[in-house]
Amino acid sequence: MIPYGRHTIEDDDIAAVADVLRSEALTGGAAVGRFETALAAVSAAPHAVVCASGTAALHLVAMGLGLGPGDAVVVPSVTFLATANAARYVGADVRFADVDPDTGLMTPETLEEALARPSPGRPRAVIAVHLNGQCADMAGLLTVAERHGLTVVEDACHALGGAYRLDGIRHPVGAAPRSAAACFSFHPVKTVAMGEGGAITTRDDALADRVRRFRNHGMTRDPGAFTETAQAFDPSGAANPWYYEMAEPGFNYRASDLHCALGASQLAKLDRFLARRRALAARYDRALEPFAPLVRPIPRGPTEDDGWHLYVALIDFAALGQTRARVMERLRVAGIGTQVHYLPVHRQPYYRALDPDITLPGADAYYARCLSLPLFPDLDDGAVERVAATLGEILS
């Protein structure tokens, strides 16, 4: 069976984890810092804070920015649940933006539409999602966000290794040159796998400090941050060695040394993994050409070096007289796994109950046609041809 996505684990990855198992620290040790240093270098950001998942990363940033009740966060509807849920975790309202029907990406125009739509909460932030590995139009989105006084957060869970241009300068995804932060996921089907894991990159020193505290219950052991001096210090003025403080509660969102050792080993292979994913995406583009216009790749935008997490084909199932479920089942019988990314979040029951009248035609049009085909570094060229040929036979 060819899955739609799969991690690539090699002997050096296994050795890196085994070394941690033989060490004295399984969590809270040196491997955490090594991974953060490596990720900061890859993303060209001063701070990288590793955590338990991409979901945890989004939640930590929402907490770090002080978002809460009375605030609204604009989120594209075509994304994973966590992007919107992170706002709800802190009590903020979610305002869904429509997307381009062919790329699934929020655009400056759809962001403006979402901001103009009457909805609970005062808009304070927007989460720009880099979907499938393609970067959103950051220049355009930042222009709109800055005009409205919004903080921008990048959901880069699909886009590690990608890049975009601002003011003529190429920025790796994660550099966050004018965003508050970027959030990453290292789930097994992502480009770099940690098993479970996530991270935040930022240029904001204060935000980095806050998310570090929030990932560890809100605790600090920094004597310079202590406020309860009578219990924090002994008569000589030295900090008591056991002492810590919690100014506000956080969560146990730490990542272990086991996860970080695997992540650092994988991160060293990022260029190779990306090169293979891009080559496979180009091969899919060519293999699907005979089936156009009823089957076609998502259009390529102006961004640079897309970090292809997913390869999505747009299929006009209605014109072909076939249901997507039937096509997926026939592919499965042929040994080919596929997936749909994503059911628009505004159509989920929880969010539908909050805003039953919302209609987002771009998101619905993208969802109606999208199908994620197998894409991972170990996929061979012949498998791409087989997937395309089998899809063509089924659709014919």
Side-chain angles (χ1 to χ4, degrees):
M1 182 73 176
I2 304 174
Y4 87 86
R6 185 171 64 199
H7 53 274
T8 297
I9 299 296
E10 298 169 330
D11 288 344
D12 57 342
D13 300 316
I14 296 169
V17 175
D19 286 345
V20 171
L21 289 169
R22 297 186 186 99
S23 74
E24 295 183 357
L26 298 185
T27 191
V32 175
R34 286 195 293 269
F35 176 78
E36 289 179 334
T37 298
L39 180 61
V42 164
S43 60
H47 302 284
V49 182
V50 68
C51 57
S53 65
T55 302
L58 289 159
H59 186 192
L60 288 168
V61 169
M63 294 174 67
L65 293 174
L67 299 173
D71 298 329
V73 180
V74 182
V75 174
S77 185
V78 177
T79 185
F80 184 55
L81 300 170
T83 314
N85 288 352
R88 298 299 294 156
Y89 294 159
V90 296
D93 292 299
V94 175
R95 190 174 298 193
F96 287 108
D98 207 354
V99 299
D100 181 279
D102 290 333
T103 67
L105 294 168
M106 179 169 57
T107 68
E109 294 75 20
T110 61
L111 174 56
E112 286 277 19
E113 290 168 3
L115 292 169
R117 189 186 318 125
S119 186
R122 175 177 64 90
R124 275 197 56 203
V126 54
I127 303 180
V129 176
H130 302 316
L131 186 68
N132 303 325
Q134 276 200 305
C135 293
D137 176 4
M138 290 305 298
L141 293 175
L142 283 160
T143 297
V144 175
E146 289 165 359
R147 185 165 63 250
H148 289 273
L150 304 180
T151 298
V152 176
V153 175
E154 297 176 51
D155 182 336
C157 291
H158 287 194
L160 180 66
Y164 57 80
R165 284 190 176 269
L166 280 177
D167 303 319
I169 300 171
R170 179 186 182 277
H171 298 281
V173 171
R178 283 162 52 192
S179 306
C183 298
F184 293 96
S185 168
F186 304 106
H187 183 274
V189 297
K190 299 298 197 301
T191 305
V192 161
M194 287 175 59
E196 288 286 358
I200 298 135
T201 58
T202 182
R203 313 188 79 78
D204 186 327
D205 298 345
L207 180 59
D209 287 342
R210 284 175 63 79
V211 297
R212 285 191 183 100
R213 287 201 309 275
F214 285 136
R215 76 172 170 182
N216 190 30
H217 303 281
M219 292 168 45
T220 180
R221 295 181 183 272
D222 176 11
F226 293 162
T227 59
E228 300 294 326
T229 55
Q231 58 188 10
F233 301 97
D234 67 17
S236 73
N240 289 317
W242 67 84
Y243 189 76
Y244 55 85
E245 280 189 1
M246 184 193 77
E248 49 188 327
F251 293 83
N252 181 355
Y253 276 167
R254 299 185 301 266
S256 75
D257 282 58
L258 295 167
H259 293 95
C260 290
L262 176 58
S265 179
Q266 290 262 297
L267 202 56
K269 308 171 189 181
L270 177 61
D271 288 346
R272 170 162 61 94
F273 287 169
L274 284 170
R276 182 59 183 156
R277 285 176 175 272
R278 289 167 183 154
L280 290 167
R283 183 170 286 272
Y284 266 125
D285 287 351
R286 294 190 297 272
L288 294 178
E289 284 178 357
F291 313 121
L294 296 178
V295 182
R296 56 192 176 93
I298 57 173
R300 304 300 192 259
T303 57
E304 297 193 354
D305 304 330
D306 295 321
W308 288 114
H309 162 49
L310 298 170
Y311 185 88
V312 175
L314 298 177
I315 303 174
D316 193 339
F317 295 101
L320 290 162
Q322 300 219 41
T323 67
R324 178 166 48 197
R326 177 62 176 155
V327 170
M328 292 177 72
E329 173 59 17
R330 292 184 65 185
L331 286 168
R332 187 195 66 78
V333 170
I336 298 168
T338 55
Q339 190 52 275
V340 175
H341 298 90
Y342 297 96
L343 173 68
V345 186
H346 79 278
R347 295 172 60 170
Q348 292 289 348
Y350 173 82
Y351 289 106
R352 178 65 79 192
L354 294 175
D355 192 352
D357 298 324
I358 187 172
T359 58
L360 299 176
D364 290 341
Y366 180 84
Y367 168 63
R369 296 171 295 149
C370 66
L371 185 67
S372 298
L373 304 179
L375 181 69
F376 48 91
D378 291 339
L379 189 70
D380 60 57
D381 293 349
V384 170
E385 306 299 334
R386 175 187 159 198
V387 170
T390 305
L391 180 63
E393 290 172 7
I394 291 170
L395 295 177
S396 66

